[in-house]
Amino acid sequence: MDCIFCSIADGSIPADKIYEDDNMVVFKDLNPQAPIHLLAIPKAHISSNNEVNSENSFVIGKIFEVIAKIAKEQGFYEDGYRIVNNCGVHGGQTVGHLHYHVLAGRNLQWPPG
Ligand code: 5GP
Ligand code: ZN
């Protein structure tokens, strides 16, 4: 299957990875929208939040746990940050492999556009 985030997960396309284990990868977004902009993805191809189910949802908990750990390690834990999942056309999803944006390092606005 031709999926850019599967290729990043298996190493066939390079990315600035800051965390990796058997189930997930965290890497820097190519087009950062904040001083810190990371993407956390499952290694398994899950196309969007619509495809999360009882078989694969364990990885979501793991992703949030690792994000909390990275936030502590990188020092944006106390100031705060935002975790975003864009799902489908109205959600603004452009890459069809489940990913969580981690945005930090500036005062983010709400509501989103
Ligand atoms: P979405 O719009 O689907 O929520 O987010 C996709 C994100 O993936 C965008 O923020 C975009 O900058 C990022 N992105 C797309 N292609 C690549 C890539 O090849 N490498 C990296 N590191 N980020 C990518
Ligand atoms: Zn994929």
Side-chain angles (χ1 to χ4, degrees):
M1 189 204 314
D2 206 18
C3 170
I4 193 154
F5 285 0
C6 280
S7 301
I8 286 174
D10 72 19
S12 55
I13 288 181
D16 203 342
K17 293 182 183 176
I18 64 160
Y19 177 89
E20 180 166 14
D21 65 26
D22 287 347
N23 298 306
M24 61 173 283
V25 187
V26 182
F27 55 96
K28 293 186 181 174
D29 196 293
L30 208 56
N31 182 24
Q33 301 301 314
I36 296 165
H37 187 170
L38 308 175
L39 296 171
I41 66 167
K43 281 191 171 174
H45 183 83
I46 301 170
S47 25
S48 80
N49 192 67
N50 287 341
E51 310 306 320
V52 174
N53 57 43
S54 57
E55 307 277 296
N56 61 25
S57 62
F58 70 94
V59 73
I60 313 297
K62 177 75 187 173
I63 284 171
F64 276 75
E65 184 186 333
V66 167
I67 290 171
K69 204 168 143 209
I70 289 170
K72 271 185 198 154
E73 283 168 5
Q74 295 208 355
F76 58 86
Y77 179 80
E78 285 185 356
D79 283 345
Y81 52 96
R82 185 171 294 166
I83 301 171
V84 174
N85 170 248
N86 297 325
C87 181
V89 174
H90 282 193
Q93 183 176 3
T94 60
V95 176
H97 179 127
L98 182 68
H99 52 282
Y100 294 90
H101 298 260
V102 180
L103 299 151
R106 68 174 171 85
N107 206 352
L108 300 161
Q109 302 304 301
W110 191 263

